[in-house]
Amino acid sequence: MDGDVAIVIGASGGIGRALIAALRLDQRYQHVVGLSRQRPPDLIDDARQTWLEANILDASNLQVAARRVAALGMPTRVIVATGALHSAGMSPEKSLRALNADALAEGFAINAIGPALVAQHFLPAMPRDRASVFAALSARVGSIADNAAGGWYGYRASKAALNMIIRTAAIEHSRSNPLGVCVAVHPGTVATPLSRPFIGQTPPSRLFTPQVAAGHILRVLDGLSPEATGGFYAWDGATIPW
Ligand SMILES: NC(=O)c1ccc[n+]([C@@H]2O[C@H](COP(=O)([O-])OP(=O)(O)OC[C@H]3O[C@@H](n4cnc5c(N)ncnc54)[C@H](OP(=O)(O)O)[C@@H]3O)[C@@H](O)[C@H]2O)c1
């Protein structure tokens, strides 16, 4: 098999599902692969799409998934669309008083360590002699330079850690894959389970549906040249300062 494959890690998420739907319509990809812990009900395997079970915190899951993807074709788009802002044991902290070691560790694991393991297993599978893009969905609040409002310690810090992992991986990747691009992308505010408790004040013009957000993300990735590797980009293509 030598056709191009697009891979979305976080296939069960709001943005992840919309990315898969959009990539399926893109004839440049012979196959689209979705990875998540549980199969989304609408992701049925067929000649052009495959679902693989993977927990991003389990390196052996990722190793098996990377091997299965290699049998389907050449991964030229890999998008990490996993992440967490809140869970049963974690919610954005408004003050230092609210910090909790377990919640901080959970956020760092999902937002920074998981994507690092994905990069470890999927970047080496990308083509050395052709253009390709590996992107991790980050968040503008992970920008240290842009932090004027404070709060959200764990989420901000875990996304800042993710940004550093992406930047560092981009440098290493560019040595073996000079045409490869490895970036962090802020999708904007998107109506998904992740944002639902926090979007009350967001004006409708600044709140994207997952479908619109997926279109923005894919357009930004399509527009990146190898010189753009190691950067942090917003949904409209603007560079975000670290
Ligand atoms: N929505 C926004 O407004 C917004 C804004 C800025 C940045 N982002 C970023 O965009 C990305 C996607 O967010 P979203 O809004 O689409 O969130 P979402 O709907 O809550 O989806 C999150 C995804 O992460 C997956 N996930 C979490 N832990 C996992 C693990 N250990 N192994 C495998 N998958 C795991 C979830 O899978 P399960 O179903 O298995 O839990 C789900 O597929 C995140 O990185 C988020 O930080 C979103």
Side-chain angles (χ1 to χ4, degrees):
M1 291 274 203
D2 52 6
D4 286 8
V5 178
I7 303 161
V8 177
I9 297 99
S12 57
I15 300 174
R17 277 160 53 193
L19 283 167
I20 289 179
L23 286 162
R24 255 183 81 84
L25 298 174
D26 189 331
Q27 295 305 320
R28 288 175 299 171
Y29 303 106
Q30 173 177 294
H31 213 89
V32 179
V33 181
L35 272 65
S36 51
R37 288 182 289 189
Q38 290 192 6
R39 182 192 284 271
D42 51 349
L43 215 172
I44 313 290
D45 288 8
D46 62 27
R48 285 204 61 227
Q49 79 181 9
T50 298
W51 175 81
L52 300 175
E53 181 178 351
N55 183 332
I56 55 168
L57 296 175
D58 185 330
S60 59
N61 277 192
L62 295 171
Q63 194 175 21
V64 170
R67 226 179 280 135
R68 293 206 36 204
V69 165
L72 291 166
M74 183 53 80
T76 52
R77 283 285 180 284
V78 177
I79 307 176
V80 188
T82 51
L85 170 58
H86 59 92
S87 71
M90 176 175 83
S91 60
E93 315 87 348
K94 290 194 176 130
S95 70
L96 281 172
R97 243 188 351 266
L99 294 190
N100 169 277
D102 291 340
L104 287 168
E106 180 183 343
F108 270 79
I110 297 170
N111 293 325
I113 296 172
L117 296 178
V118 174
Q120 180 187 38
H121 288 90
F122 283 90
L123 275 174
M126 300 188 79
R128 289 183 169 229
D129 54 352
R130 291 174 46 203
S132 66
V133 180
F134 179 103
L137 298 190
S138 182
R140 186 185 294 276
V141 296
S143 163
I144 293 171
D146 192 65
N147 183 2
W152 293 28
Y153 285 83
Y155 188 66
R156 283 184 186 278
S158 64
K159 289 294 192 181
L162 167 67
N163 290 348
M164 181 58 94
I165 284 161
I166 290 298
R167 172 78 177 189
T168 306
I171 292 168
E172 181 178 339
H173 188 61
S174 68
R175 295 186 186 126
S176 54
N177 297 50
L179 301 176
V181 169
C182 175
V183 290
V185 175
H186 167 61
T189 304
V190 188
T192 68
L194 179 142
S195 62
R196 194 165 295 137
F198 311 100
I199 53 180
Q201 304 302 315
T202 310
S205 61
R206 300 286 302 278
L207 179 63
F208 303 127
T209 64
Q211 293 71 26
V212 167
H216 290 153
I217 293 162
L218 295 174
R219 196 169 318 126
V220 170
L221 302 190
D222 278 347
L224 296 174
S225 60
E227 297 71 44
T229 200
F232 184 17
Y233 301 97
W235 59 271
D236 58 359
T239 298
I240 301 176
W242 297 115

